[in-house]
Amino acid sequence: MSVAKKDYKRITTKSLIEMKSNGEKISMLTAYDYTMAKIVDTAGVDVILVGDSASNVMAGHETTLPITLDQMIYHASSVVRAVERALVVVDLPFGSYQSDPKEALRSSIRIMKESGGHAVKLEGGKEIKESIKKILHAGIPVMGHLGLTPQSIYKFGTYSVRAKEEEEAEKLIEDAQMLEKVGCFAVVLEKIPAALAKKVADSISIPVIGIGAGGGVDGQVLVIHDMLGMNNEFSPRFLRRYLNLYEEMTKAIGQYAADVKSSDFPNEKEQY
């Protein structure tokens, strides 16, 4: 059954909670620069995540770990300048919040003041509870992130599906409920069984955004380079490619290079 959409001129944390209560799904995509963010915002996506996945798709690192707080602020400020409607959520990068709650607060304040972002996102559950509370007490909105947490990749040793075993599944449910209780406005669930993700979404009143977590949650997020087919080396089951930009861009750039070599570009109409 289709759900009537409310016309939000500006998406806020309150908007997302309203959308869940009204049964309206939430769309979320990553962006890391002004031009891409402008397109995503104009297309009507509700939430733009300035993800630490910039470490992979923008800088070419194998993991998300190397990206710094300064680099995240640079990407976030570029995105914020482009956005008129979407809520901009910024990842706290590895090493900027795990050591102690005061460090987490300092990092979050820097992101909010220097980038103009609207909220921050942290990976983890009860182990970072005090950091989340510290950030929230300063008036900074927090989005949680459970399931596969890429900043802990060397702990897990694999990017495989998380929480398939009962003990880990129970901890995930408890962590999600804890995140709601302390005041997070939403939580991302990454690469967990669809039935478990639905169970989590049904057990809390804040929105649950899935990536590889099935359709029973309140919204979806993808990395924009993946869904546009700019990255042709990453093909997980949960990814739907809406374009094949790798092929289209390679073809166009190759044609440009050939036209320059042959003196076809520029022609008489393309010069002064």
Side-chain angles (χ1 to χ4, degrees):
M1 187 175 78
S2 62
V3 176
K5 290 176 60 178
K6 180 177 176 180
D7 184 21
Y8 292 100
K9 291 186 178 179
R10 188 91 199 198
I11 301 295
T12 66
T13 57
K14 183 172 179 261
S15 307
L16 300 183
I17 293 170
E18 283 181 359
M19 289 167 78
K20 171 163 182 159
S21 66
N22 293 334
E24 180 182 344
K25 297 287 188 177
I26 298 163
S27 60
M28 181 169 165
L29 278 175
T30 65
Y32 316 98
D33 64 83
Y34 177 89
T35 302
M36 193 71 85
K38 193 77 173 176
I39 295 169
V40 173
D41 188 54
T42 302
V45 169
D46 300 312
V47 184
I48 294 178
L49 173 64
V50 185
D52 57 4
S53 47
S55 180
N56 309 108
V57 299
M58 301 298 287
H61 293 295
E62 185 179 359
T63 71
T64 61
L65 274 63
I67 199 164
T68 67
L69 182 60
D70 284 340
Q71 289 168 335
M72 287 301 302
I73 289 169
Y74 166 79
H75 286 295
S77 59
S78 300
V79 167
V80 168
R81 284 192 286 270
V83 169
E84 295 181 5
R85 177 182 178 272
L87 181 78
V88 178
V89 179
V90 185
D91 269 341
L92 281 174
F94 178 74
S96 68
Y97 64 94
Q98 289 92 343
S99 59
D100 68 81
K102 290 182 180 178
E103 179 68 18
L105 177 58
R106 282 193 292 268
S107 300
S108 300
I109 288 172
R110 281 200 62 200
I111 283 176
M112 300 297 283
K113 284 180 67 70
E114 297 178 37
S115 78
H118 308 141
V120 297
K121 181 168 76 65
L122 292 74
E123 295 182 5
K126 65 180 181 181
E127 62 275 9
I128 60 164
K129 178 180 178 180
E130 295 307 313
S131 292
I132 293 173
K133 288 168 66 176
K134 195 84 170 175
I135 296 167
L136 288 167
H137 286 162
I140 299 171
V142 174
M143 175 180 281
H145 184 145
L146 300 171
L148 176 64
T149 47
Q151 291 180 11
S152 301
I153 183 56
Y154 290 125
K155 173 185 173 183
F156 295 142
T158 175
Y159 285 107
S160 60
V161 176
R162 304 301 310 171
K164 291 190 290 185
E165 302 298 327
E166 185 177 350
E167 183 178 352
E168 188 178 351
E170 286 301 319
K171 181 184 184 303
L172 189 143
I173 294 170
E174 291 171 4
D175 280 340
Q177 292 172 345
M178 180 276 295
L179 291 175
E180 176 184 27
K181 187 175 180 179
V182 298
C184 291
F185 70 88
V187 59
V188 168
L189 295 183
E190 181 168 357
K191 212 166 183 184
I192 68 169
L196 175 60
K198 185 180 188 309
K199 187 175 180 181
V200 173
D202 290 345
S203 73
I204 59 178
S205 60
I206 60 174
V208 173
I209 312 297
I211 176 167
V217 292
D218 306 303
Q220 300 293 329
V221 59
L222 286 174
V223 172
I224 193 162
H225 290 67
D226 298 337
M227 63 83 67
L228 290 178
M230 297 174 74
N231 174 6
N232 68 343
E233 299 170 349
F234 184 63
S235 298
R237 183 190 300 184
F238 64 77
L239 173 62
R240 180 183 295 182
R241 285 198 174 91
Y242 286 79
L243 286 173
N244 187 351
L245 281 186
Y246 184 90
E247 183 178 305
E248 293 297 316
M249 292 172 71
T250 301
K251 181 179 177 182
I253 293 166
Q255 187 62 57
Y256 163 76
D259 289 350
V260 171
K261 293 287 188 183
S262 67
S263 297
D264 181 73
F265 176 79
N267 59 32
E268 291 185 3
K269 294 182 179 179
E270 295 164 331
Q271 54 190 320
Y272 299 98

